[in-house]
Amino acid sequence: MVPQQDVKLARYEFFQCQQEAITPGGEPESMTQFINRARELVKSCNFGNLGDEMLRDKIIMGIRDVSLKKRFIEQQDLTSAMVIQRCQTEEATRAEMERNNLFGQATSSHAVNKLARKPKKCAFCDKEYHKKLSDCPARGTVSKEEVPESSDESDVESVTTVQYLYSLKQDDEQLLTASLTFFSANKQPVPAKCILDTGATCNVIGINNAKRILNAKQLKMDKQQATMKVFGGGTLKSLGRVIIKCVHNENNYNTVFHVVDFEQQPLLSRNKCLQLKLIQLCLTITSDHTSAVQQVIEKYPAVFNGLGNLEGSVHLEVDKSVKPVVQQPRRIAVTLRDELRRTITEMGREGIIVEEKHNTDWVSNLVLVKRNNKIRMPTVDELLPELSNAKVFTTVDAKCGFWQISLDEESSRLTTFWTPFGRYRWLRMPFGISPAPEIF
């Protein structure tokens, strides 16, 4: 007998679930961590069709952000997917603003729960950290390494030791680029081609390119170094920061660049691209190609209905030295028999399996594995960099991939298996046989 889980206990744990102020690791629990915990708990609650609504209500009641919770309560027709997406967006936005020091002094409802950290120091005067560069007493003074100045205080980045980049490639034709005009130290215009990296959190330039633009033999940088993480796992360290003036659409901007010790043309971060209006943030996607899509569906109905079938058939090889085995049938739990019968009937109707009434050399047992119909998909962070240059988006699904490959008659008889309702064999390539992934 299959042990039954106590639904009352599972629901009790689900209803008690709240976003923790402090986790066992000593850090506040993020909304993403809380949502994932609630998702796992709701699976065992057996809410049926109410599962989505219960998860939505638990997330709204359990998050610690009071203002976000109030907005959820005021909004109508919310689904759990909409609530989860809004929470993740809110959390990502808050993290970005904190990283760029847009909050100033902490005023959020979570401020009292933050652990004490070592206070930041100004990279220029080595005293208490300033919200604005103009507040620094070292601004305008000259020392062994002159401090770069900026008249555009909104562009000065916060002192962040870790930055993120998507790619440092320069010869890829698919990269987004733009031509900007920079100014040298003697205020002479210098045109330069820049890479637009919407996945970057900082601007990057090679030391030689910086010297060429500024027309300087020695580059005057601050001492603020950063560790830059490149998409894919690589890391590199900057030499320091330099401020270079540029003009775009008749507006002047001061741009903070992290300098690296290899050849690198100017690379602009997402925030800088948005500030210069080189890119536009689109929060909604609309489609006006409904009629064209419908025409394609009507023209190729077989592609969008039922199960596909790739051309040709597969022949499975068997080691001749191995003696054929007819395994004894296993007992199937009574509670699973009705569901198993429906599944077998449906698979037979779709031509995936067929009843075998003749003797075969090989007969395998049926193993039932009941899953939650969940398949791990790539995360948004993994997919977004791959979509940076895309203009048209489509969804392609090879439904039940292995089942789209037919087996020849001889190979089909090798896949015979027992069921409580008779013997069946596979007409399509089953999941679980060793050569299936390579064949597919």
Side-chain angles (χ1 to χ4, degrees), residues 307-310 312-314 316 351-352 397-407 426-440:
L307 186 65
N309 188 8
L310 301 179
S313 59
V314 170
L316 302 177
I352 301 171
D397 180 16
K399 182 181 179 182
C400 302
F402 291 176
W403 291 359
Q404 296 197 19
I405 301 177
S406 299
L407 298 175
W426 292 87
L427 298 177
R428 304 292 182 93
M429 185 168 65
F431 292 82
I433 61 175
S434 57
E438 183 178 355
I439 294 172
F440 185 76

Side-chain angles (χ1 to χ4, degrees), residues 341-369:
R341 185 189 294 274
R342 289 193 298 269
T343 302
I344 290 177
T345 302
E346 181 65 24
M347 293 172 67
R349 186 183 302 114
E350 293 184 359
I352 301 171
I353 60 175
V354 67
E355 187 174 5
E356 177 57 60
K357 298 182 179 180
H358 300 89
N359 293 331
T360 56
D361 295 335
W362 293 84
V363 180
S364 302
N365 274 315
L366 176 67
V367 179
L368 294 182
V369 180

Side-chain angles (χ1 to χ4, degrees), residues 65-94:
D65 191 325
V66 179
S67 61
L68 181 59
K69 183 183 301 187
K70 181 179 178 181
R71 292 198 297 270
F72 281 145
I73 294 175
E74 294 174 349
Q75 188 173 347
Q76 302 295 324
D77 301 327
L78 277 175
T79 64
S80 62
M82 296 167 62
V83 171
I84 291 171
Q85 183 180 13
R86 183 64 178 276
C87 288
Q88 292 174 340
T89 302
E90 187 79 13
E91 193 168 52
T93 303
R94 181 175 294 276

